Amino acid sequence: MNSGTSYRQSRQRRRILQLLKETHTHPTVDWMYQQLKPEFPKLSLGTIYRNLSILTEQGLVNKIKSGSTFDRFEANTGTHYHFICESCGCMQDLEMPVRKDLNDEARQFTNFDVQKHQIHFFGLCSDCRSKKTAD
Amino acid sequence: MNSGTSYRQSRQRRRILQLLKETHTHPTVDWMYQQLKPEFPKLSLGTIYRNLSILTEQGLVNKIKSGSTFDRFEANTGTHYHFICESCGCMQDLEMPVRKDLNDEARQFTNFDVQKHQIHFFGLCSDCRSKKTAD
DNA sequence: ATTATATTAATAATCGTTCCGATTACTGTT
DNA sequence: AACAGTAATCGGAACGATTATTAATATAAT
């Protein structure tokens, strides 16, 4: 992306980070834009996107992955977990028992009505793993 | 969507479901389109989308949610889990210990190099819960 | 076969996001 | 203080995935 280059500071970027730090919701780009527009009347959406990706690159911000850009489907309708390879992007089912107890555990930490959960594991699939060791 | 109406059969929809059953990857819409295009030369993308949503509605197919349609961000960069309200769509952090052992467990069921995981819990947030009981 | 209506194909529209060219604002150097 | 170099900005166009609209077609029931 911008690797190796040094980052300059900017009021916009500082504000974006600050805004993100003082909110405990998980804002969308659009929300941040609404918030900061009055303060920076000429602010553009692109600026938010660019700065968020820089901040993410710097490790100051987390982008909560929506997995990938496109939807995926499966005919296996029973609950089960997924593994996603960070190298090739493939997705596989995990033949691993579903931990219903996690719902109960989560319930203890909130006053939410926790009904179900999903787990996505990340790493390298067997193919990509052997490719990595090859070179 | 199409609620209340009865479903007719169609060759296209039957094929889509069959295709989904015989593949153990988690196809994207585009991939299915590529696969079925030779068979149905006049097939259009809209048909795939519409049928997948019908099949999902019927419970025959799972749409692997990418969370929501737009990206979300947070300044809390430590690992932690998330709760998503299925009613209002809000997202909150869960103050719950991270279960690193799940990675080990997942590793036992595959030959993947599992490095990390995400858990998304779903249900009703406290606000929506009280609204539900109100009416 | 006729009829009613779900399904299709094609296309336009939408939504979130990224990319681009032109301009502006820093930062360090004479 | 003027300069060059370059990052950061804006605005809008472009993009890819998805949804909505329409007229034509296919399916199931009578």
Side-chain angles (χ1 to χ4, degrees):
Chain A
M1 185 163 282
N2 216 358
S3 62
T5 63
S6 63
Y7 292 114
R8 205 169 268 176
Q9 290 210 339
S10 80
R11 269 178 300 132
Q12 286 88 336
R13 183 150 71 241
R14 235 170 328 193
R15 263 310 266 136
I16 289 172
L17 180 57
Q18 189 193 344
L19 176 62
L20 215 40
K21 279 191 168 155
E22 69 198 15
T23 42
H24 286 102
T25 60
H26 299 71
T28 61
V29 169
D30 203 59
W31 184 86
M32 295 186 240
Y33 180 70
Q34 307 292 341
Q35 295 297 307
L36 299 179
K37 186 70 175 172
E39 210 167 311
F40 301 90
K42 313 182 69 180
L43 184 68
S44 83
L45 269 174
T47 299
I48 310 245
Y49 278 107
R50 188 170 25 73
N51 281 315
L52 281 172
S53 91
I54 289 175
L55 288 168
T56 304
E57 204 176 312
Q58 295 176 320
L60 296 169
V61 158
N62 255 357
K63 177 174 183 171
I64 301 170
K65 290 203 197 56
S66 6
S68 56
T69 28
F70 22 75
D71 292 342
R72 290 175 171 279
F73 296 84
E74 62 183 350
N76 177 357
T77 53
T79 31
H80 58 275
Y81 301 141
H82 289 115
F83 173 84
I84 295 148
C85 176
E86 294 193 293
S87 173
C88 69
C90 74
M91 179 184 265
Q92 319 220 16
D93 287 347
L94 273 181
E95 307 293 340
M96 172 177 159
V98 174
R99 302 289 299 273
K100 287 234 183 71
D101 56 301
L102 287 172
N103 292 342
D104 305 324
E105 201 178 335
R107 229 173 263 127
Q108 292 172 13
F109 291 89
T110 61
N111 52 346
F112 305 145
D113 176 19
V114 182
Q115 292 161 354
K116 60 183 176 188
H117 68 268
Q118 291 181 342
I119 308 186
H120 289 191
F121 291 91
F122 297 90
L124 292 177
C125 73
S126 37
D127 283 0
C128 289
R129 175 139 73 150
S130 48
K131 267 180 212 146
K132 270 276 158 60
T133 52
D135 51 43
Chain B
M1 188 161 284
N2 213 2
S3 60
T5 61
S6 62
Y7 291 114
R8 208 166 265 179
Q9 291 209 340
S10 79
R11 273 181 304 130
Q12 287 87 334
R13 182 149 72 240
R14 235 170 325 186
R15 258 316 259 137
I16 289 172
L17 179 57
Q18 190 194 343
L19 176 62
L20 215 39
K21 280 190 168 156
E22 69 199 16
T23 43
H24 286 103
T25 61
H26 299 72
T28 62
V29 170
D30 202 60
W31 185 86
M32 294 187 241
Y33 180 69
Q34 307 293 343
Q35 294 297 309
L36 300 179
K37 186 68 176 175
E39 209 166 311
F40 300 88
K42 312 182 70 178
L43 184 68
S44 84
L45 270 173
T47 298
I48 309 245
Y49 278 106
R50 190 173 23 74
N51 281 315
L52 282 172
S53 91
I54 290 174
L55 288 168
T56 303
E57 203 178 314
Q58 295 176 321
L60 297 170
V61 157
N62 256 357
K63 176 175 182 170
I64 301 170
K65 287 202 197 58
S66 10
S68 56
T69 27
F70 18 76
D71 291 342
R72 290 175 172 279
F73 295 85
E74 64 183 349
N76 178 355
T77 52
T79 30
H80 59 275
Y81 300 142
H82 289 114
F83 173 83
I84 294 147
C85 176
E86 294 193 295
S87 174
C88 69
C90 74
M91 178 184 268
Q92 318 219 18
D93 286 347
L94 274 180
E95 307 293 339
M96 173 177 160
V98 174
R99 301 287 299 271
K100 289 233 182 73
D101 56 302
L102 288 172
N103 291 342
D104 303 323
E105 201 178 334
R107 229 172 264 129
Q108 291 172 15
F109 290 89
T110 60
N111 51 346
F112 304 147
D113 175 19
V114 181
Q115 291 160 355
K116 59 184 176 187
H117 68 268
Q118 291 180 342
I119 307 187
H120 290 190
F121 291 91
F122 298 90
L124 292 177
C125 72
S126 38
D127 284 1
C128 289
R129 173 139 75 150
S130 48
K131 266 180 215 148
K132 271 277 159 61
T133 51
D135 51 41

